[in-house]
Amino acid sequence: MRVGITYDLKEAYLAQGYTPEEVAEFDCPETIQAIEEALWAMGCETDPIGTVRDLVRRLALGERWDLVFNIAEGLSGFARESQIPALLEAYAIPCVFSDPLVLSLCLHKAMTKRVLKSAGVPTPDFAVIERPGQAAAVSLAWPLFAKPVAEGTSKGVSARSLCRTPEELLAVCDELLAAHRQPVLVERYLPGREFTVGIMGSGEEAKSLGVMEVLLTENAEAGAYSLENKWLYEDRVKYRLVDDQAARDAARVSLDAWRALSCRDGGRVDVRLNEHGQAEVIEINPLPGLNPDYSDLPILCRLAGMPYQELIAGIVRSACARAGLSLDAPARAPGRHLSARAMRVALLTSRLAPDSPADDLDSLVQAEAVGEALRSLGHATVNVSADLDLSRLLAEIKAARVDAVFNLAETLMGTDALAHVVPDVLARAGVACTGSGGTALVLSNDKPLAKRLLAARGIPTPAWAEVWSETGAASRTNATDLLTTPFSQAAQKGPDARRTKSSRPTRSPATRGLELFTATQQMGLFQQPARFAPGPYIIKPCREHASKGIGQDSVVEAASPADLAEALAKAHARQGLDLFAEAYVEGREFAVSLLADEDGLPRALPPAEMRFSGQWRRTILTYDAKWNPECPEYGLSTRAFDLSPEDAGLTSTLSALALACWRAFGLS
């Protein structure tokens, strides 16, 4: 079964400028990884989708899933937790957890309490404050407790939420109204023990997973399971599984609330005891936090002896039972279909001289292997070569009467920078051609441009330095003549800023230097340029591949922007290539291949790790290491696919990043 995963990551919104409290409900990568690993253990194929905007884009591209595991909290509005389930409902794609109606209802605490009261489920009396000063008219029994009406993870809850006088209530309500821009729920404070009850299943099939008591230590904020107490839970909170009469009463009223609200699959109900020791429901959590280390439901399950994998499996099984899905059904298989009839395929390579570099001549080796494979499947092949005489190329293809072109033409005029020309010309002529189109090749072949796109899509990439001429065009002919990039202006103006001539900053000799960019987690936004960070940088050609122009001396130590500018200038004088500098990353190196199915949907193949043996100044795959048999480095690097079981989470991350790149660049 193919399972998509939708989520909001804290890092993405922190990079955009949101505060830690504003993103408190969002998840961290470790949570997504843990869910994926649990799904893999069930035999599911996973696809990390991301936010509601990511989902919209992918649905528009025609992508579909058997089931979506949704933990996205959403950014704003009373319906924020319902946005993804509602969208999936429109496309008839089932997802785990409650439906859009229930998620919207339970997010609004006052509406939830109205339904609970109508169903006879005990919950504290309450009032809703919608404007400043209105709290003065509240006539409930003291003490009272105030919190935002539609927040989770105890956002807006602090020791001051417990109010004992009208003056305290008025002040807290006015502050919460201003800070959270939503009504404030004021309810009668329950002074007794606090429990959270884990629930799995839907309707009459729902059952309690256990009752966990929340105990505040002497170091905690008093009176409330506040946001600060949750953040510092290791020092301020103790959790214990309980099964006394009070706990059984809490489980009973929790199940009554769960069923009254038609919650599904899994979640939590928070309960406190009133002054008479009776259990009353204070909150429903139909979209529970699932971090395996610090979220309440996984902690409860751990205390109850239920492994995290079993928790996720139970949620999925419940959703599958509702949707009529079989966990044993195979996921949508990646296609491998050629035409049933014999085809005639042109093997297109670049027109090369016999003394062309080894990396260029390698495309002829590839063409031979591809031709062998096609002929073994019963298809005929013809060899065609491309140069700048595009009319000749089209005439040859037409004369050969081919059904399709297998494009292996990586260079024109000895450079990768023109690789986009061939697929563009073939597309205009109506010739079917394998591989990515011209736009994708333009975006990916220019490495600094590619890095800007990666940063804009929130895909992590090392900081880098670029050189700009006075006109704003990328120019590296004089590495000491450096200008601030126009993209820093866009960062100041936000995602809708446009690059215009007037927005280009004035050249200032006093501020000459390279400007480093760091990847952000929000599409369309760039962080303000970071201060120069001394350290190692790798100098690379902007528009070449196959490690062309990369050697052991490509990594330089730079203590200042001037050092880096000087290194760029020397490298340019030596190579004659357009260059840029990128922060050098120590660590393991991987490559992930991608393959589309018959519907054009990509899957990531097992990652390959590049392993280095022998003595290396820097473990980088240089041009000589790849192509020069006479070089000592040649043959000392090997690809390995035997990653250890401990790398399962890393494999997931690599695959997710590769698929994100596929979508960002529009590959095919």
Side-chain angles (χ1 to χ4, degrees):
M1 181 163 57
R2 186 166 186 245
V3 182
I5 307 174
T6 46
Y7 49 84
D8 291 297
L9 287 182
K10 292 181 182 179
E11 289 87 344
Y13 296 96
L14 289 172
Q16 193 181 347
Y18 288 86
T19 67
E21 182 176 2
E22 288 173 321
V23 303
E25 289 184 276
F26 298 161
D27 289 288
C28 59
E30 290 76 16
T31 303
I32 314 307
Q33 177 181 321
I35 292 171
E36 277 203 283
E37 290 175 355
L39 292 170
W40 292 341
M42 299 174 66
C44 298
E45 174 189 328
T46 61
D47 181 6
I49 298 168
T51 68
V52 65
R53 293 177 183 271
D54 297 319
L55 177 63
V56 168
R57 279 193 292 269
R58 297 186 61 182
L59 287 171
L61 289 172
E63 297 189 51
R64 301 294 184 267
W65 303 267
D66 300 305
L67 179 73
V68 170
F69 199 106
N70 172 49
I71 58 169
E73 301 281 352
L75 186 59
S76 62
F78 294 144
R80 64 178 183 271
E81 292 182 352
S82 304
Q83 291 165 352
I84 283 178
L87 189 58
L88 293 170
E89 197 173 76
Y91 281 83
I93 299 173
C95 69
V96 302
F97 298 128
S98 297
D99 62 30
L101 171 63
V102 173
L103 291 175
S104 290
L105 174 64
C106 291
L107 183 61
H108 196 293
K109 298 176 176 62
M111 292 296 183
T112 303
K113 291 165 73 68
R114 290 186 178 108
V115 174
L116 292 178
K117 282 185 172 291
S118 71
V121 178
T123 186
D125 292 336
F126 68 98
V128 178
I129 307 304
E130 296 182 338
R131 60 183 183 275
Q134 190 179 3
V138 170
S139 59
L140 299 172
W142 298 89
L144 298 175
F145 200 85
K147 55 188 173 183
V149 78
E151 295 291 359
T153 318
S154 295
K155 287 169 65 175
V157 175
S158 69
R160 296 188 65 235
S161 294
L162 177 55
C163 302
R164 303 183 185 280
T165 68
E167 293 75 19
E168 289 178 353
L169 180 65
L170 184 62
V172 168
C173 287
D174 287 354
E175 289 174 11
L176 291 174
L177 286 169
H180 295 275
R181 299 175 186 172
Q182 61 181 269
V184 176
L185 178 76
V186 175
E187 63 184 349
R188 187 170 54 85
Y189 178 69
L190 304 181
R193 298 162 67 189
E194 180 166 346
F195 306 103
T196 190
V197 180
I199 295 179
M200 183 175 290
S202 309
E204 292 304 314
E205 300 299 319
K207 63 179 182 179
S208 168
L209 298 176
V211 181
M212 182 173 75
E213 185 169 8
V214 178
L215 299 165
L216 301 182
T217 71
E218 60 183 12
N219 299 323
E221 279 191 309
Y225 192 23
S226 65
L227 179 62
E228 188 172 321
N229 285 338
K230 286 188 176 181
W231 277 348
L232 303 173
Y233 73 99
E234 291 177 318
D235 183 52
R236 296 187 174 193
V237 184
K238 289 184 178 179
Y239 305 101
R240 67 176 183 182
L241 202 68
V242 289
D243 189 28
D244 54 18
Q245 186 58 50
R248 290 190 286 273
D249 289 344
R252 175 181 51 78
V253 299
S254 295
L255 283 169
D256 289 344
W258 188 262
R259 292 168 179 146
L261 294 164
S262 298
C263 299
R264 306 188 309 200
D265 300 341
R268 291 177 16 248
V269 178
D270 296 335
V271 175
R272 282 184 75 104
L273 302 183
N274 61 25
E275 60 273 21
H276 306 295
Q278 298 165 334
E280 298 191 33
V281 174
I282 56 174
E283 196 161 324
I284 312 287
N285 297 274
L287 195 64
L290 289 175
N291 183 280
D293 296 322
Y294 57 72
S295 292
D296 286 354
L297 183 58
I299 291 174
L300 185 156
C301 291
R302 189 161 62 241
L303 293 174
M306 174 183 282
Y308 184 82
Q309 179 184 322
E310 188 177 332
L311 168 64
I312 300 301
I315 292 167
V316 171
R317 282 195 294 266
S318 174
C320 288
R322 287 189 294 99
L325 295 174
S326 171
L327 277 169
D328 298 325
R332 178 196 293 218
R336 181 182 170 278
H337 299 287
L338 288 172
S339 172
R341 65 178 176 83
M343 298 173 65
R344 187 170 173 81
V345 181
L347 303 174
L348 178 60
T349 58
S350 304
R351 178 162 291 189
L352 301 170
D355 61 348
S356 294
D359 59 298
D360 290 345
L361 292 173
D362 187 64
S363 64
L364 303 181
V365 179
Q366 296 176 42
E368 184 178 345
V370 171
E372 228 177 86
L374 287 170
R375 290 188 293 273
S376 74
L377 293 169
H379 305 286
T381 63
V382 57
N383 294 322
V384 180
S385 61
D387 56 20
L388 286 183
D389 189 350
L390 300 172
S391 297
R392 177 201 59 79
L393 171 64
L394 291 176
E396 284 190 20
I397 289 174
K398 183 177 181 181
R401 304 179 66 84
V402 300
D403 298 289
V405 170
F406 200 110
N407 180 28
L408 294 165
E410 297 185 353
T411 65
L412 285 180
M413 293 185 68
T415 177
D416 293 354
L418 297 177
H420 66 281
V421 172
V422 169
D424 273 348
V425 168
L426 294 176
R428 186 171 290 273
V431 178
C433 173
T434 65
S436 296
T439 299
L441 293 179
V442 167
L443 292 173
S444 57
N445 276 342
D446 189 311
K447 294 174 187 174
L449 178 62
K451 289 173 72 67
R452 280 188 230 121
L453 178 58
L454 291 171
R457 294 297 296 267
I459 300 170
T461 185
W464 75 98
E466 294 183 51
V467 184
W468 291 81
S469 72
E470 298 233 11
T471 62
S475 170
R476 299 159 183 88
T477 56
N478 183 351
T480 59
D481 186 18
L482 306 170
L483 291 174
T484 307
T485 167
F487 275 86
S488 63
Q489 294 294 309
Q492 295 169 17
K493 297 180 181 180
D496 296 324
R498 298 290 185 265
R499 291 178 60 186
T500 64
K501 188 171 182 179
S502 62
S503 70
R504 191 177 303 120
T506 303
R507 183 169 183 265
S508 168
T511 58
R512 282 183 179 177
L514 294 175
E515 196 163 310
L516 303 181
F517 283 82
T518 54
T520 68
Q521 300 292 327
Q522 181 65 25
M523 185 180 71
L525 290 179
F526 288 78
Q527 288 183 351
Q528 290 298 312
R531 293 183 178 179
F532 177 83
Y537 290 82
I538 183 167
I539 295 175
K540 299 180 181 181
C542 292
R543 304 180 195 88
E544 301 296 345
H545 297 275
S547 294
K548 187 176 293 183
I550 295 179
Q552 284 294 320
D553 59 353
S554 294
V555 179
V556 299
E557 291 288 338
S560 67
D563 289 347
L564 198 51
E566 181 180 359
L568 275 167
K570 289 180 178 178
H572 174 76
R574 185 172 62 251
Q575 299 184 30
L577 297 172
D578 289 348
L579 305 170
F580 75 106
E582 179 181 67
Y584 176 68
V585 177
E586 291 278 3
R588 299 164 71 184
E589 180 170 333
F590 299 87
V592 181
S593 296
L594 297 148
L595 184 67
D597 65 14
E598 68 274 23
D599 296 319
L601 303 181
R603 65 169 172 140
L605 302 180
E609 181 171 10
M610 187 58 63
R611 294 178 181 168
F612 300 87
S613 58
Q615 299 297 315
W616 297 72
R617 283 172 52 203
R618 298 283 188 179
T619 52
I620 56 175
L621 206 54
T622 64
Y623 186 86
D624 283 343
K626 282 186 176 180
W627 305 108
N628 185 0
E630 298 178 0
C631 173
E633 299 167 10
Y634 187 81
L636 295 181
S637 58
T638 55
R639 288 184 179 86
F641 293 87
D642 57 336
L643 273 64
S644 71
E646 288 76 19
D647 284 326
L650 174 61
T651 297
S652 170
T653 300
L654 295 171
S655 299
L657 287 172
L659 290 166
C661 290
W662 176 288
R663 294 188 291 271
F665 288 88
L667 306 184
S668 57

